[in-house]
Amino acid sequence: MTPVMAKLEVLAGPLGGKQIPLTTETLHIGRAQDNDIVLDDTMVSRYHAHLTYEEGEFYLIDLNTPNGTVINKKKILNQRLKPNDVIQIGKTVFRFLSERGTETGISPFSRKEIPQRERITASSPPSRMMKKPIILFLGGFGLFLLLWLTWPTFQPPKKEKAEAPITERQAIFPETQKEAFLINKEKADGFYSSGYREYMSKNYLRAWDDFKAALELYPDHRLAQIYLNKTEAAIAEEIERNYKSAFNYFQSGQYHLSIHHFRRVMTLLSKRAPPEKYCEAREDRQNDRQNNRTMAAENPDYEKYCDAKKKIEEALGYLSSHGF
């Protein structure tokens, strides 16, 4: 939940007149029914945009859509929102409202005040300083001059600082750093948008590649990291589901279906496939465990990959021997 009170006011379109509170960190906008804001409009992509809250600010991210997203009559890719910004997606027009836009507090120092002057009249008493003998003034000045002349003798000698070598990072001009940062951020947003579409289409391996690319370009891309974690969880769930289905089909003699699901397991594990000849040496490792020898814990992904490979060979051998 966002700590800042904000909402979208629908000015035009199918949802005209509605006010949508922004209570979650990420709001999904598009034509597909699993979005948070569903826009029944052919000009809107199935997954069109994200409205996300990051580090105290709201951002609108267009997911590389054909018709684009417009803020204040300007097409954007990733834009920080300001109060009263007008957003157009297809035929729908929103106004972004935030509590920051209603702050009208006046600084206590905003009013100019004329300082009062002290009036000096004939009856005002003369200054006491004028009554002091001039000898006190000269004595004080002489003491200050003596201290000023002798002060350096009481200071410890200054150590000369060794000049630090200029690093490669410092040698880059700030303008160059800023330009490179913006280019990387824009490219990362593009990979994130592509990854999100692949994720929603359940093309998890492609989504994984895109989110990883986004984080390599811009390691602080918060949404890319969130959806990379979700993608990895979805891949693990898909592996387990296909693995169980493949064994059930194999045991019931439905070898074609078994081979299909085992191949799916191997494909999903392609990013974490075991080293070469790992599966061939597995029989020896299994014999070692049976002989109570000390063995390191096996990698579950490697074991599933080897199981799938072995069962595919067995199923193909059975089908070949029976003329299928």
Side-chain angles (χ1 to χ4, degrees), residues 103-124:
E103 292 176 359
T104 56
I106 300 176
S107 169
F109 303 102
S110 60
R111 292 180 298 175
K112 295 183 179 178
E113 296 181 359
I114 301 174
Q116 295 182 354
R117 296 181 181 179
E118 183 183 358
R119 283 186 70 184
I120 300 177
T121 62
S123 60
S124 300

Side-chain angles (χ1 to χ4, degrees), residues 48-50 52 54 59-63 77-78 192-193 223:
H48 196 102
H50 284 172
T52 180
E54 296 183 55
Y59 294 85
L60 188 64
I61 302 171
D62 180 82
L63 300 176
L77 182 62
N78 185 350
Y192 164 73
S193 301
L223 283 174

Side-chain angles (χ1 to χ4, degrees), residues 33 97 99 191 205 250 260 266 310 314 320:
Q33 293 299 314
L97 301 175
E99 63 180 9
F191 277 112
L205 294 179
F250 186 88
H260 168 75
M266 293 180 70
K310 181 180 179 181
E314 291 179 9
S320 177

Side-chain angles (χ1 to χ4, degrees), residues 245-255 258 262 311-312 314-315:
S245 297
F247 266 103
N248 290 335
Y249 285 126
F250 186 88
Q251 291 170 357
S252 62
Q254 301 182 62
Y255 296 113
S258 175
F262 276 130
K311 290 300 181 183
I312 288 173
E314 291 179 9

Side-chain angles (χ1 to χ4, degrees), residues 75-200:
K75 217 170 187 181
I76 61 97
L77 182 62
N78 185 350
Q79 175 88 15
R80 180 173 65 88
L81 292 176
K82 303 184 295 297
N84 297 316
D85 274 350
V86 176
I87 303 163
Q88 182 170 359
I89 298 176
K91 299 176 183 177
T92 303
V93 180
F94 304 92
R95 180 190 287 128
F96 173 70
L97 301 175
S98 171
E99 63 180 9
R100 291 194 178 93
T102 60
E103 292 176 359
T104 56
I106 300 176
S107 169
F109 303 102
S110 60
R111 292 180 298 175
K112 295 183 179 178
E113 296 181 359
I114 301 174
Q116 295 182 354
R117 296 181 181 179
E118 183 183 358
R119 283 186 70 184
I120 300 177
T121 62
S123 60
S124 300
S127 173
R128 292 183 180 181
M129 287 298 297
M130 299 300 294
K131 294 182 179 181
K132 296 289 183 180
I134 195 169
I135 188 68
L136 293 178
F137 171 76
L138 293 175
F141 178 75
L143 181 61
F144 170 77
L145 183 62
L146 178 63
L147 288 173
W148 182 74
L149 292 173
T150 59
W151 179 253
T153 62
F154 296 101
Q155 301 300 312
K158 294 183 179 180
K159 296 181 180 180
E160 294 184 2
K161 295 183 180 179
E163 186 175 350
I166 298 176
T167 63
E168 183 180 354
R169 185 179 183 87
Q170 291 171 334
I172 302 175
F173 293 103
E175 293 80 5
T176 307
Q177 288 181 333
K178 184 177 180 181
E179 182 180 356
F181 171 84
L182 293 174
I183 291 173
N184 284 352
K185 181 67 167 63
E186 185 175 352
K187 289 181 178 178
D189 287 337
F191 277 112
Y192 164 73
S193 301
S194 174
Y196 178 77
R197 289 198 302 273
E198 298 291 355
Y199 173 82
M200 297 305 295

Side-chain angles (χ1 to χ4, degrees), residues 29-35 44-48 65 200-201:
I29 306 171
R31 200 175 70 250
Q33 293 299 314
D34 54 350
N35 285 288
V44 177
S45 299
R46 293 182 68 249
Y47 302 103
H48 196 102
T65 56
M200 297 305 295
S201 301

